[in-house]
Amino acid sequence: MKNILFLIAIICIAFISCDGRKSKSMALKESIEEFNQNQSDIETVIYYPKEYTEVVTDTIISDGLKIHIKNYSLKNEAVLISSPKKTLQEEATYHRVFESEIVVSTPSKIIFSGYISAAQFKEKSYDPFWNHATLQHAWVNQELSTTHHVQVDVSFINPKENSYKLFRISIGADGQEQINLIEENS
């Protein structure tokens, strides 16, 4: 009987000493999991250029033929270059979308007034280049321009694919425009 009482006493002590506490390694593992679940992703957004950009060029070609070109970035539109990776610190890079305003005038009248953007070219073409393209720059080609025809070169880039297209817009004295592809790198 003494042996049975001794055995019952040992079993009772064993049950009492098992209070359900976690080991240090289990507690640390659970704390780390809880911390990771409570952390929100940190997203860094990078824009190129960082701020609104505007470049205005006024050119005069003999006897008062004036060409006004304004290249500017849109504040609320951008092309995604690289998307974030699935980590706690995500980084997304965007290239701002640009447009250009072109006005050709004489002292007495406006011959041509228009806007140039990648969206206009995307509407007319099924080329996948235009899905992520933006205007890079528009400028007067002074070597080819005359008093009767103004030549404006316009470059578009696709920053996601590192490709470009160069167009030449010929504007006649009557305001008619003709657009030709000069060079491309896809």
Side-chain angles (χ1 to χ4, degrees):
M1 181 88 166
K2 286 184 183 181
N3 287 340
I4 293 177
L5 288 175
F6 183 69
L7 184 61
I8 292 174
I10 290 179
I11 292 173
C12 288
I13 292 174
F15 279 123
I16 293 173
S17 66
C18 293
D19 60 0
R21 288 187 287 176
K22 301 173 190 168
S23 67
K24 289 182 182 179
S25 64
M26 280 298 276
L28 179 62
K29 184 177 180 181
E30 287 179 9
S31 294
I32 291 172
E33 287 175 3
E34 181 181 336
F35 176 78
N36 287 339
Q37 289 175 353
N38 292 335
Q39 290 298 312
S40 61
D41 294 340
I42 302 169
E43 184 175 336
T44 305
V45 179
I46 299 171
Y47 283 96
Y48 176 80
K50 291 181 182 179
E51 300 173 348
Y52 171 78
T53 303
E54 179 178 298
V55 177
V56 177
T57 306
D58 288 319
T59 306
I60 297 176
I61 298 178
S62 72
D63 296 333
L65 184 62
K66 182 179 177 184
I67 300 105
H68 173 84
I69 299 177
K70 177 178 158 183
N71 297 306
Y72 55 93
S73 63
L74 301 177
K75 295 179 183 178
N76 298 326
E77 290 187 45
V79 175
L80 177 65
I81 298 173
S82 64
S83 59
K85 296 163 183 60
K86 298 294 178 195
T87 62
L88 286 179
Q89 291 186 343
E90 298 179 354
E91 182 175 288
T93 306
Y94 292 90
H95 190 291
R96 292 191 190 274
V97 172
F98 279 78
E99 288 185 351
S100 189
E101 174 186 319
I102 301 171
V103 178
V104 178
S105 63
T106 63
S108 61
K109 67 176 181 174
I110 294 177
I111 297 172
F112 175 84
S113 179
Y115 290 91
I116 304 295
S117 70
Q120 292 171 324
F121 285 79
K122 183 178 181 179
E123 291 173 2
K124 299 174 185 177
S125 174
Y126 296 108
D127 188 350
F129 169 86
W130 298 109
N131 293 337
H132 303 288
T134 182
L135 181 123
Q136 184 178 22
H137 196 65
W139 67 97
V140 176
N141 187 327
Q142 293 182 3
E143 293 177 2
L144 300 177
S145 294
T146 65
T147 56
H148 301 293
H149 283 90
V150 174
Q151 305 293 327
V152 177
D153 290 344
V154 181
S155 64
F156 293 94
I157 60 168
N158 184 325
K160 191 167 187 156
E161 298 173 5
N162 284 333
S163 56
Y164 69 90
K165 290 185 185 273
L166 176 64
F167 289 88
R168 181 160 296 137
I169 302 173
S170 178
I171 302 169
D174 58 355
Q176 293 292 334
E177 67 176 318
Q178 181 180 352
I179 302 173
N180 296 314
L181 177 64
I182 303 300
E183 183 179 336
E184 68 180 317
N185 176 6
S186 299

